[in-house]
Amino acid sequence: VMHSGGAGGYSAFLLRFPQSRVSIATLCNTGRIATGALTRRVADVYLADRFTLPVPAVPPASNAAEKAPAPALDRKLMAQYVGSYRSEELDATFRVWIEQGELRARARYGVIRTLRSTGKDRFEYDGINRLTFTRNAGGEVTGLEFNAERIRSLKAARLPTPEQVTAR
């Protein structure tokens, strides 16, 4: 049983193993720490003698795009991702920009994250959160998909730039 949360720059994670009568809580005074991953590492150490089955192997990637090495991020490629992305489900806008030669992202007034490329149009931050930029048939970036510990396939559509709105 688990639950995570965060507000005001703080983050927390509670992980319970009721049958083992063990609970582990991680409280951090920063939102930049992957509290879920940290809590699981503590559980791995504390409960190592109780879980003796080997960890299942992760199946290999099934398509060529996932097997491709991460592309070099030159400024031209990074510029394709720059923009604002709107999630109606969360009523939130994600911003992506280039700062000091790195791609950065932020949702609402949250923590600024540095995105690390893991493959074509794929990025991660904090070791567990993943962003995948989506493209149309013409190759233009049209949105993004976000995946994390308890979030699956959260989609955000790219908003038009002021120049695109003026041109209409």
Side-chain angles (χ1 to χ4, degrees), residues 76-93:
K76 184 177 177 182
L77 179 58
M78 285 192 289
Q80 294 178 24
Y81 305 118
V82 171
S84 295
Y85 300 82
R86 179 82 181 151
S87 166
E88 293 302 325
E89 184 177 353
L90 287 184
D91 189 24
T93 300

Side-chain angles (χ1 to χ4, degrees), residues 27-168:
L27 308 172
C28 296
N29 61 355
T30 178
R32 293 184 177 264
I33 295 178
T35 53
L38 182 60
T39 307
R40 285 185 183 88
R41 287 180 25 208
V42 171
D44 287 345
V45 171
Y46 190 82
L47 299 170
D49 63 329
R50 298 181 196 192
F51 298 103
T52 57
L53 294 176
V55 176
V58 175
S62 59
N63 65 42
E66 290 182 10
K67 293 178 183 178
L73 287 180
D74 61 23
R75 194 159 184 85
K76 184 177 177 182
L77 179 58
M78 285 192 289
Q80 294 178 24
Y81 305 118
V82 171
S84 295
Y85 300 82
R86 179 82 181 151
S87 166
E88 293 302 325
E89 184 177 353
L90 287 184
D91 189 24
T93 300
F94 299 86
R95 283 189 44 239
V96 176
W97 69 96
I98 300 169
E99 183 179 302
Q100 297 178 344
E102 296 183 306
L103 206 56
R104 311 256 196 229
R106 182 180 198 175
R108 290 188 181 175
Y109 302 107
V111 175
I112 296 172
R113 308 291 187 179
T114 300
L115 303 181
R116 186 181 68 79
S117 176
T118 60
K120 179 161 176 44
D121 296 334
R122 295 190 330 254
F123 296 84
E124 68 89 26
Y125 65 88
D126 292 343
I128 56 171
N129 300 300
R130 295 172 309 283
L131 286 176
T132 302
F133 289 91
T134 56
R135 295 178 182 267
N136 63 16
E140 296 172 302
V141 175
T142 57
L144 63 81
E145 182 176 305
F146 178 73
N147 289 278
E149 287 178 317
R150 298 183 319 157
I151 299 170
R152 301 288 181 262
S153 301
L154 177 70
K155 293 182 179 15
R158 187 174 202 164
L159 296 175
T161 64
E163 298 82 23
Q164 292 169 322
V165 172
T166 306
R168 289 183 188 176

